[in-house]
Amino acid sequence: MKEEFEDGKQHDLERVSVKSDGESVAVTKREIQGWLAYAAAAEPYSVVCISALAPIVLESLASGYGYQTGNRSLPCDTCEVKVGGLWLDTASFSLYCISVSVFLQAFVFISMGALADHGTRRKTFLLAFSFIGSISTILFAAVVKDSLYWLAGVLVIISNVAFGASWVLYYAFIPTMARDHPSVLQVRQNVKSGTDTPADYQFALDRVANSLSSHSMAIGYGAGVTLLIVAAGIALAMNQSNYSLQLGMALTGLWWFGVTFFVWKFMPAQPGQPLAEKTNLFFYSWKRLGKTIARAKSLSETFKYLISWFILSDGSSTIISLATFMGKKKFLLSNTLLMVGAILVPLSALIGTYMWLFIQRRLNLTSKQTLLAISVAFALVPIYVLIGFSEVFGLVHKVEIWPTLIYFGLMLGAFQSFSRVLYASLIPRNKEAEFFSLYGITDKSSSWLGPLITGAIIENNDTRWGFVFPLAMMVIPLFIIWWVDVERGISDAEKFSIEHTDAKDGM
């Protein structure tokens, strides 16, 4: 099969044995589809379960088995439930479950990261976590009574850890898939023959990586919106009962489970170097990461970017939390309208992903330049809300909610897509899973900071004041990213991959 790519040339996509340099094997169209399919399989879990339904389900189950705060002999109004030896507010139960899962994610990310860079473990681990996550999500259909609230909490923890781990491994395929893309391999050959320059190669690599990342982001959001609409239909058909929401989650898990078999068959393994014999599999990744961090100065641009992403991701997630809080408390949105918002944001993100990819190509922007532009546009959201102190506009009227959500979504998907591609360009070859485990930890570990600080700010003040914090968190990283020297970062990463192999580091 012939396919035309950005360079205007045609490449044979079915010849998996084509080699450009004795090492790289061109990925086929079917293999690219196999990789993209995992976005369609897993992203609905984030859109449907974690972002929309799981918090409602957990709170409802816990409240159904909870007791009145202050007098546990009375029916539940302001509720608390016993978890182990502790009594927890039922409204906080889902937050505790998510927090536990985030802590466990960090442990799992580190434990598997560097190990997944060897042999075919990256694909093997991804499939294993996919099946664990999908099956634990399907089991929400088995939680048939409120007294099993604890089981629902356990299922959320297991599924979210598995989802996060598989997503880190999925990200780690971006740089390798881009390097082995036929159009990139062609440019690499041209560099060797002198018809193209190394700058042409980096430009082609950046273009293809952004194309792959954007397509996967859009496909994932498309699948997520579709399943969220189906879940909403199930809820309406069953009078919006809590169990109807559980069935929506279980259906999402079933979709995740089924599509994973397509991924299993067609996604390339892209094996890394074999692991040395008698390696301690449990401690290997921890030791490898320890040696990498000890040499962080050698990758100053990479870690500079990681710091900026820690701040940026916290700013964006805090905007989401505050917007949801305002919708419930200020505008008193019903669950139906909240569901409409939950659909509108990922749908807009799907459109925005391709919109920003078009802008990048039309203006010939780099990933760094595009990410800076998106971040500036993103920062206008908290600014707009703060303008609301004028009581004229700025999320003052309910009608402003919907265009604000659409604008937010137009930034969200592209923001995530370009950020991971820029990071992918700054990490050493053959250490993709190790470094994306750091990326995943940086992303997740910052999620506690925003709610903690904004909660303190708005406790005795107008909710709008809470948007001062995410505004600062969106603006400050712009200076750090501007300061990142991408060319030097790419060079340092290449040098690091050569100088710090397992053999040279005594691993």
Side-chain angles (χ1 to χ4, degrees), residues 47-61:
V47 173
V48 177
C49 299
I50 293 301
S51 298
L53 301 186
I56 300 172
V57 167
L58 291 178
E59 182 177 357
S60 179
L61 288 170

Side-chain angles (χ1 to χ4, degrees), residues 404-421:
T404 302
L405 286 177
I406 292 172
Y407 179 85
F408 178 83
L410 289 174
M411 304 304 124
L412 183 61
F415 176 73
Q416 295 171 336
S417 179
F418 281 95
S419 67
R420 66 189 188 185
V421 170

